[in-house]
């Protein structure tokens, strides 16, 4: 929602001044700056240093940006989809991949996330002590 809001605002304010791909890049950076603290604290509970964590976080955002920069022209120029609808379609696709990359790479330091990735081991059965009732 934040990304689409920033894109919509940028598109409405800068339409005719900047191409939609430039607005896409601006919305991408703005969203990363807004979303990182929330993801770091509330979603993944990361203890990685802020700058190192943001660098990894934004690397994943850049993957999403590349997907948008390739997908938007395909939808708009080739398929004739309106700009805001094309952006909404990309927003539906990119977060799925982003979440997985964040979970298994960006915030892999989180002990809770690390435990979730381990294979559960069977508990060994303890012999029952029948000598002490």
């Amino acid at each position: 929602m934040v990304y689409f809001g920033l894109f919509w605002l940028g598109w409405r304010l800068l339409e005719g001044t900047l191409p939609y791909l430039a607005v896409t890049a601006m919305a991408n950076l703005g969203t990363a700056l807004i979303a990182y603290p929330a993801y770091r604290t509330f979603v993944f509970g990361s203890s990685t240093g802020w700058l190192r964590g943001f660098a990894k976080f934004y690397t994943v955002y850049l993957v999403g940006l590349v997907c948008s920069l390739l997908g938007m022209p395909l939808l708009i120029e080739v398929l004739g989809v309106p700009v805001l609808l094309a952006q909404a379609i990309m927003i539906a696709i990119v977060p799925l991949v982003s979440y997985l990359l964040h979970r298994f790479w960006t915030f892999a330091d989180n002990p809770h996330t690390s435990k979730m990735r381990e294979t559960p081991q069977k508990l060994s059965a303890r012999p029952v002590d029948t000598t002490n009732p």
Side-chain angles (χ1 to χ4, degrees):
M1 296 304 282
V2 172
Y3 179 76
F4 189 78
L6 289 175
F7 180 84
W8 179 86
L9 182 63
W11 180 245
R12 289 296 170 209
L13 292 175
L14 301 169
E15 188 175 8
T17 307
L18 288 178
Y20 63 84
L21 293 178
V23 177
T24 298
M26 290 171 30
N28 178 274
L29 178 60
T31 303
L33 291 170
I34 292 167
Y36 177 68
Y39 275 56
R40 182 177 195 274
T41 305
F42 302 113
V43 178
F44 295 103
S46 177
S47 60
T48 300
W50 210 94
L51 287 176
R52 181 176 180 265
F54 183 76
K56 289 173 78 175
F57 185 82
Y58 197 64
T59 299
V60 172
Y61 258 66
L62 288 175
V63 170
L65 178 60
V66 168
C67 290
S68 291
L69 294 177
L70 296 174
M72 294 273 294
L74 175 70
L75 291 169
I76 295 165
E77 309 299 332
V78 176
L79 299 176
V81 175
V83 171
L84 292 177
L85 180 57
Q87 189 57 260
I89 291 168
M90 295 310 300
I91 289 171
I93 295 169
V94 170
L96 300 173
V97 174
S98 293
Y99 177 81
L100 293 172
L101 288 171
H102 286 317
R103 185 172 187 277
F104 293 110
W105 183 63
T106 306
F107 298 107
D109 69 310
N110 178 2
H112 177 68
T113 303
S114 299
K115 286 180 188 171
M116 289 173 40
R117 282 188 276 147
E118 292 175 3
T119 2
Q121 297 178 0
K122 294 183 180 180
L123 297 173
S124 60
R126 291 185 182 169
V128 178
D129 183 6
T130 56
T131 57
N132 287 331

